[in-house]
Amino acid sequence: MIERVCLVHYHEIGLKGKNRSLFENRLLANIQHAVKNKGLAKVRRISGHLLVEQEGGYADEEMAHAISRIPGVARVSLAYRCPLEEATYCDAAVRALGEVATPWESFKVHARRSSTNYEKHTLEMNQIVGAALCQAFPEKKVQMHHPDMTVVVHAVQGDVYVYADTGPGVGGLPVGTAGKVVSLFSSGFDSPVATWMLGRRGAVCVPVHFSGRPMTSDQSEWLCQDLVEALAPSGIVGRMYVVPFGERQREISLVVPQGLRVIMYRRVMFAVAERIARIEGAKALVTGESLGQVASQTLENIAVVNEMVSLPVLRPLIGSDKQEIMHRAEELGTYQISSLDAPDCCTLFMPRRPETHARAEAVHEAWDLFDHDAMIDDLVATMEYVDFDQCPAYKPPRDLRARHRELAPIEP
Ligand code: ATP
Ligand code: MG
């Protein structure tokens, strides 16, 4: 019987020496979680790959595509699995090569054997399968160097895995192998992309969104949820925090000089995000800032906001152009959602002329014009959260309320 299975290839994990099994186990658990609704799929290790098999043996393109989006996956091959019999694996090779969708002219066979006592040598297997393929595709040519297609015939124990086509994965590292980060998340283009980039490097991402509620509708909150859903197949987000900020922004806007409002909002946002990071056990903050993109993203303004926090602030897009970010958003499926306009805390009480090069002294004076500590405490106490089921590596804080009280406010 010939079955279809997915073979998952990973490369970066291979470099991690002693951590290898830790990384493999994490990737295995993440894939298992992602395919759990797909025909009772099971994931296990075989000889340097992960194998995803469904009951009945009918893995398909859709499953291969879902797996390809999981961080840590370098490539996915939809393979035929058949018994270790010459005629059967030759037949599988003919099928695999015949199904390749892109045009090709040349091919070679790459036979491998792992943990098997099959009497045939790989050289012999190459010749046998090559002859069958030459017969099936007489107009194509065999080419050892840089062929268009390589047909892999991999004998493992009593089975053979055969594939010709292989699709790229997103690469990176399995989510959960790089700790946790809190990501400042708006419904714009940048922060979902920034969040995904950290997720792809193995971090569990906890987005926090500041909404303009009650001064605006809750539409930006819904857009943020949609964005998290769009990123969900990668399994990077377990929980999102929402902080209604409208009322506090109004208070700030009434007392600080107009040009410094945005900087004050952002200092409060960073402080609250850091408190959430302490509660969650996250080790860094993430933003979608890109140098010079808007007034708040000049070096001076980044500095006076950054001084609020002691955790590292990661800005994976700092050197990216908007075009590149939008292109990435399209690939991730967040572009359409981010194009929808929703008022959030950023659009609320915006000054006509925001300060682009704030002086630290002026910022500190403005900061003391309102009771910032009480405001930060109050925002942390009234924040809300939404849980998502797609991140098996996410561990919620054991007792949010109790840890809240324990956490002393962070000194600015
Ligand atoms: P984005 O496209 O991500 O909204 P932006 O171009 O609108 O970014 P800013 O509004 O200056 O730029 O925001 C810079 C960064 O600050 C964002 O990428 C995000 O990390 C954070 N941020 C902005 N608005 C919010 C918000 N309402 N809630 C949480 N974080 C926010
Ligand atoms: Mg924004």
Side-chain angles (χ1 to χ4, degrees):
M1 189 179 77
I2 296 191
E3 295 173 309
R4 298 226 91 177
V5 295
C6 285
L7 273 183
V8 180
H9 313 254
Y10 40 85
H11 45 69
E12 205 160 349
I13 298 180
L15 305 174
K16 296 281 174 180
K18 270 199 300 196
N19 284 337
R20 186 181 170 117
S21 67
L22 204 81
F23 280 61
E24 278 179 340
N25 289 342
R26 194 63 261 171
L27 183 61
L28 193 149
N30 292 353
I31 295 177
Q32 181 72 71
H33 193 85
V35 299
K36 71 178 189 302
N37 297 327
K38 297 187 193 298
L40 298 175
K42 280 205 200 69
V43 190
R44 65 184 168 94
R45 281 200 192 111
I46 59 153
S47 156
H49 302 301
L50 293 179
L51 173 69
V52 186
E53 41 192 350
Q54 269 175 311
E55 216 173 25
Y58 55 87
D60 56 13
E61 297 285 347
E62 192 196 335
M63 177 179 255
H65 178 71
I67 297 168
S68 73
R69 295 193 60 181
I70 298 171
V73 173
R75 287 183 295 119
V76 185
S77 311
L78 191 52
Y80 284 107
R81 175 170 59 195
C82 58
L84 196 41
E85 298 157 4
E86 207 174 294
T88 321
Y89 63 71
C90 284
D91 186 31
V94 171
R95 279 210 223 175
L97 198 52
E99 284 167 3
V100 172
T102 47
W104 57 276
E105 288 306 320
S106 55
F107 72 93
K108 77 169 183 186
V109 179
H110 177 56
R112 291 179 63 193
R113 295 188 317 173
S114 318
S115 49
T116 176
N117 45 15
Y118 189 40
E119 74 281 1
K120 288 204 166 40
H121 219 264
T122 52
L123 279 178
E124 219 180 323
M125 288 172 75
N126 280 341
Q127 280 161 2
I128 294 167
V129 178
L133 292 174
C134 286
Q135 202 179 5
F137 304 97
E139 72 285 11
K140 308 290 186 186
K141 69 173 193 290
V142 177
Q143 186 176 310
M144 287 304 141
H145 293 291
H146 308 296
D148 294 337
M149 298 310 306
T150 298
V151 182
V152 178
V153 181
H154 191 173
V156 187
Q157 286 146 5
D159 293 320
V160 188
Y161 296 85
V162 181
Y163 58 89
D165 222 355
T166 182
V170 290
L173 299 167
V175 176
T177 57
K180 214 187 239 182
V181 295
V182 164
S183 164
L184 284 108
F185 200 84
S186 74
S187 63
F189 291 104
D190 307 336
S191 40
V193 173
T195 303
W196 183 82
M197 287 175 81
L198 265 294
R200 191 176 71 149
R201 293 306 301 166
V204 173
C205 299
V206 179
V208 49
H209 175 61
F210 291 82
S211 88
R213 188 155 50 94
M215 316 308 276
T216 64
S217 74
D218 57 3
Q219 198 187 342
S220 71
E221 299 168 27
W222 291 108
L223 289 184
C224 286
Q225 283 205 38
D226 286 351
L227 286 166
V228 171
E229 296 286 355
L231 299 176
S234 300
I236 62 175
V237 174
R239 169 175 291 181
M240 176 173 78
Y241 287 85
V242 174
V243 184
F245 191 26
E247 193 63 58
R248 304 287 160 255
Q249 282 183 276
R250 194 179 60 84
E251 287 169 30
I252 295 174
S253 72
L254 291 175
V255 294
V256 307
Q258 255 211 44
L260 296 177
R261 275 183 201 169
V262 178
I263 290 172
M264 297 300 124
Y265 303 156
R266 293 184 68 76
R267 282 168 68 98
V268 174
M269 284 159 64
F270 269 51
V272 172
E274 184 167 69
R275 291 278 288 275
I276 295 175
R278 306 270 177 206
I279 292 167
E280 281 279 343
K283 297 193 180 66
L285 304 182
V286 181
T287 77
E289 286 163 300
S290 141
L291 191 61
Q293 195 191 75
V294 291
S296 63
Q297 297 176 19
T298 60
L299 288 178
E300 289 85 347
N301 290 3
I302 286 176
V304 290
V305 173
N306 208 90
E307 68 179 15
M308 286 305 300
V309 295
S310 54
L311 284 179
V313 180
L314 310 177
R315 299 177 172 88
L317 303 178
I318 198 71
S320 301
D321 283 347
K322 198 76 186 179
Q323 291 309 319
E324 291 161 2
I325 299 170
M326 311 257 260
H327 181 68
R328 205 19 107 57
E330 262 173 43
E331 287 174 352
L332 294 178
T334 56
Y335 184 93
Q336 294 296 336
I337 309 166
S338 291
S339 328
L340 300 172
D341 223 9
D344 69 0
C345 72
C346 289
T347 42
L348 200 60
F349 308 114
M350 281 300 278
R352 245 170 290 127
R353 253 186 219 210
E355 176 59 67
T356 48
H357 302 281
R359 281 186 310 111
E361 266 170 39
V363 168
H364 296 153
E365 272 172 34
W367 185 241
D368 288 333
L369 293 174
F370 62 101
D371 189 350
H372 46 257
D373 287 337
M375 183 179 288
I376 293 162
D377 283 348
D378 180 61
L379 288 168
V380 173
T382 54
M383 68 195 182
E384 300 158 17
Y385 59 80
V386 194
D387 279 334
F388 297 88
D389 162 47
Q390 290 97 339
C391 181
Y394 175 72
K395 303 252 179 326
R398 243 176 268 130
D399 183 344
L400 196 59
R401 294 289 151 198
R403 290 197 60 191
H404 250 174
R405 264 177 261 120
E406 277 167 30
L407 285 164
I410 312 289
E411 292 299 326

